[in-house]
Every structure is written in C-alpha cells, then in structure tokens.
Amino acid sequence: MENKFLSISKKYALSSIKKRNKIKEIIVKEGIKYKDLPIVRLVPCHRYKALSHAQERLWFLWNLNPDDAGYNIAGAVRLTGNLDVS
C-alpha cells in the first residue's frame, strides 16, 4: 500500500491544478486520507536550465489554460530549390 501512496503523491506533485483536483476526487472516492500520503520532494528549480523570455511566456500562458491549443502548428510549408545566401 505504501508504493500506491507514493505513486499517488508523485502524480499529484507533478500535476497541473486541474489534474490535482481530479486526483483529489479519486483519493476521496478511494477513502484515502491525505495525512496517509507521503510528502514528495520535488527537484529544486535551480537544477533546470533557464528559459528564454519567449519560453517563460509560453509556460505562463500554458499554466493559465493548459487545454488551449492556440500555439499548435496547424500546417507546414516545404521549400525547395537552391538557397540564395546573399
């Protein structure tokens, strides 16, 4: 049972707020008490490489609305021929 609790805690800690609410619903349905779940340590943010300003903006917007598909690429263009460097 301990492994199940650890698995639930890790999923919870790494999830968005929307997903955390769904996990909370499942926990309540299963009859699990929050105090029985272990505290999961996350990797400190300083261990990751810094994001560019554009990446930070996209990350921020995704956190506001993770279901938004506004930045998905809907098509592509293939260019052929020689490249004129000048």
Side-chain angles (χ1 to χ4, degrees):
M1 196 59 131
E2 176 119 1
N3 289 335
K4 180 180 178 183
F5 289 161
L6 184 58
S7 174
I8 292 170
S9 295
K10 284 182 181 178
K11 286 179 185 176
Y12 183 84
L14 297 172
S15 296
S16 67
I17 293 173
K18 192 173 185 178
K19 289 183 182 178
R20 285 183 183 193
N21 289 333
K22 288 181 182 178
I23 292 171
K24 284 180 186 179
E25 289 174 16
I26 293 169
I27 289 171
V28 170
K29 280 184 184 176
E30 294 287 325
I32 299 170
K33 297 176 183 173
Y34 291 112
K35 66 177 184 163
D36 293 337
L37 297 174
I39 297 171
V40 176
R41 266 201 131 122
L42 298 178
V43 177
C45 292
H46 68 274
R47 295 179 87 183
Y48 296 109
K49 299 284 185 194
L51 298 176
S52 69
H53 292 294
Q55 289 172 320
E56 284 183 357
R57 187 171 47 251
L58 286 174
W59 177 84
F60 175 77
L61 292 172
W62 178 81
N63 277 285
L64 285 177
N65 187 2
D67 295 327
D68 185 18
Y71 284 95
N72 289 352
I73 298 172
V77 176
R78 182 179 300 249
L79 304 174
T80 58
N82 295 328
L83 175 65
D84 181 3
V85 177
S86 62

